[in-house]
Structure formats: structure tokens, C-alpha cells
Amino acid sequence: MAKVVDARGLACPQPVILTRKALAETEDVITIVDNETARANVTHLAEKAGATVTVEQRADGTYLHIVKGEAEAAGKPITLPTAGGPLVLAVPSHIMGRGDEELGGILIRGFFHTLGEVEPLPQTIIFFNSGVKLVVEDSPVLEDLQALATRGIEILACGTCLGHYGLTEKVAVGKVSNMYTIAETMLRAGKVVSL
Amino acid sequence: MSYGVVLVPSTSHAIRAEQVCHRAGLKVKLIPTPRQLSSNCGTALRFAWPEREAMEKALCENKVDYEGVHLVDW
């Protein structure tokens, strides 16, 4: 019998916290959510924990059926970080460095252009605070970020920050994320480079 | 893939040059100066090589100084 977590109407990151709690108690959880961000975050959490997620869209919400332990059997092992851990790039601002705003804008554009030409590349790039302005529709570095995403680099944008700047509906590249994933990604990194 | 690269004397020239090119309907990208063109830390403009003439014309007409145009392989 699955444990049911009704996360409808709950704000981020409550759906993730409640699902995590339920998964610690039982193997089989159904989380009901009512928005896309919650769906993506809960699914991400479950997959990271090695669980299988089946999505069922019903009139009264999205039902996420989460079963622990099946992912491995299905030949989809959990990816563990390598010995040193992955390289993670943190982008806390829409400009590079402190000082002149216009210069900072030029520098950040130059930086993401150059990132397409140098190595090693980060496994994940995390955008937070005004950094999230770089992942939306009219971002000056959108093309560069899309090219990096195509090469398999994970792009995470802080959902709280997008909401704060009123940009949630304008995300054009990467995934909307929460502080749990952001904190875990940073702490599991072999190295975090912060702009 | 080859692109044209225009070197400019300063970052404020780069910003001006970008505005002028956008107004002229030319697609340009602000980039750090490629290593092979100059070891100085500078900002340059990348553009599609076939648009070279239109670009130089736009810069000249709007009195934006530039230091040279290069063809660069990417």
C-alpha cells in the first residue's frame, strides 16, 4: 500500500521535503502535486534517490507514483560522483565582478562565450540571485548557454530567485531548481568555482 | 567555421559598435579578443564574414573607431 503525500497547494520546497520524509519510511509513495515546478523537483529528488517515477495526470492534480529500488534493476544505476567529485560553476550575479555595471555585463558575455572554447567544462552551472537573469528569454548569453546545455552540461536556476525577479515564466534554458538541489550539488562537488 | 572579428580600442567602443551594428540590422556577438589576435585583455566583435563591407560601412558612418578586421577560424 503506497503512502500518499498530498502536496497540492504547498509552496516550494514543501513537496520535496514531504516526499523525502515519506520515502525514508516506505518504499512506495504517491505524491500529488498541482504545478510544474513541484512535479519537476519531486521527480528529480526521486530519480536521484534511485527510485522509479510514473506520472499520472488526473483532473485534480498530477500523481507521481514513486517506487524505490527499481531503477537499479532496470539497468539505470544512480550516478555517483567520481573520486574528486564534479566541477560546479556558481553564478550569483548577472554581471561579472563588482564595480561598473556595463563592464560587468560585457565580462559575463565574454565569459560564457569563452566557456564554449575552453576545458575542463563544469558538470553543472548554478544560477542564483540576479544570476537567474542569464537563463531567461532576453538573456545576453542565452545562445551560449543553450549550446552548453546541448553538450550535456546541467543548468540549474534558483526558483526562489526567478520568482523574486518575476521571471519564472521566462526561463529559456535549463531547469528550475530549489535550495536542496543547489546545496547538495555544491556540497557534493569536487570543486565549486564561483564567479 | 570562419568568422570576422573587429578589434576596437576600448570596451566603450565595443558597446558603441554593437549598438551601431544592431541598428544596421547586422548580427554581431561581443566576445573577448581571441588570443591569436592580441594578448591584451580586450573586447571585440564577431560577425559573419560576408557582412564585412556592410559592417565597416556602419562603423565608418557612425564614426566608431576600430583597429582592424580579421578573418578567424573557429
Side-chain angles (χ1 to χ4, degrees):
Chain A
M1 186 65 191
K3 187 177 167 66
V4 176
V5 175
D6 188 352
R8 286 172 293 188
L10 297 181
C12 159
Q14 282 303 317
V16 170
I17 294 173
L18 295 175
T19 305
R20 189 202 304 270
K21 232 180 237 172
L23 278 171
E25 291 165 12
T26 172
E27 302 284 297
D28 196 356
V29 174
I30 294 172
T31 300
I32 313 169
V33 296
D34 58 5
N35 66 78
E36 173 53 28
T37 304
R39 189 202 61 75
N41 288 339
V42 171
T43 304
H44 188 65
L45 159 86
E47 284 173 350
K48 260 195 158 169
T52 306
V53 185
T54 316
V55 183
E56 191 192 338
Q57 197 64 55
R58 292 197 204 165
D60 61 342
T62 304
Y63 286 64
L64 303 169
H65 196 154
I66 303 161
V67 182
K68 261 207 302 210
E70 281 185 7
E72 281 167 289
K76 205 175 126 201
I78 309 160
T79 317
L80 288 173
T82 51
L87 176 61
V88 171
L89 175 65
V91 185
S93 168
H94 66 295
I95 60 173
M96 190 170 177
R98 292 189 188 88
D100 188 78
E101 181 103 358
E102 196 169 46
L103 176 61
I106 291 180
L107 297 180
I108 201 100
R109 288 160 71 181
F111 179 81
F112 282 105
H113 169 82
T114 310
L115 209 54
E117 300 181 1
V118 293
E119 283 187 332
L121 282 174
Q123 179 178 299
T124 306
I125 309 176
I126 304 175
F127 295 85
F128 50 92
N129 212 318
S130 71
V132 297
K133 292 179 181 174
L134 299 173
V135 303
V136 299
E137 282 159 17
D138 49 1
S139 157
V141 298
L142 186 57
E143 279 177 33
D144 291 319
L145 292 181
Q146 282 167 337
L148 289 166
T150 308
R151 292 169 69 184
I153 288 153
E154 183 180 37
I155 291 173
L156 301 179
C158 158
T160 307
C161 312
L162 286 162
H164 178 82
Y165 289 106
L167 295 171
T168 309
E169 307 302 322
K170 298 219 162 110
V171 174
V173 65
K175 238 179 355 196
V176 178
S177 191
N178 57 53
M179 196 53 88
Y180 280 86
T181 305
I182 291 173
E184 280 172 2
T185 306
M186 285 184 168
L187 295 171
R188 283 176 187 162
K191 181 156 79 174
V192 176
V193 174
S194 182
L195 279 192
Chain B
M1 190 84 177
S2 302
Y3 286 98
V5 173
V6 196
L7 301 188
V8 287
S10 74
T11 46
S12 51
H13 283 83
I15 294 167
R16 274 271 293 144
E18 186 188 33
Q19 287 167 345
V20 161
C21 288
H22 280 168
R23 270 207 304 273
L26 301 167
K27 192 172 156 55
V28 294
K29 186 180 187 192
L30 216 75
I31 60 166
T33 306
R35 277 184 187 140
Q36 66 267 39
L37 296 185
S38 165
S39 56
N40 288 343
C41 175
T43 302
L45 253 66
R46 191 175 82 168
F47 64 98
W49 189 248
E51 291 181 341
R52 173 179 180 168
E53 221 169 286
M55 216 213 42
E56 291 202 66
K57 185 164 168 275
L59 294 182
C60 273
E61 282 176 354
N62 291 281
K63 300 187 174 60
V64 181
D65 288 339
Y66 58 97
E67 293 178 333
V69 179
H70 303 262
L71 182 62
V72 175
D73 284 326
W74 243 270

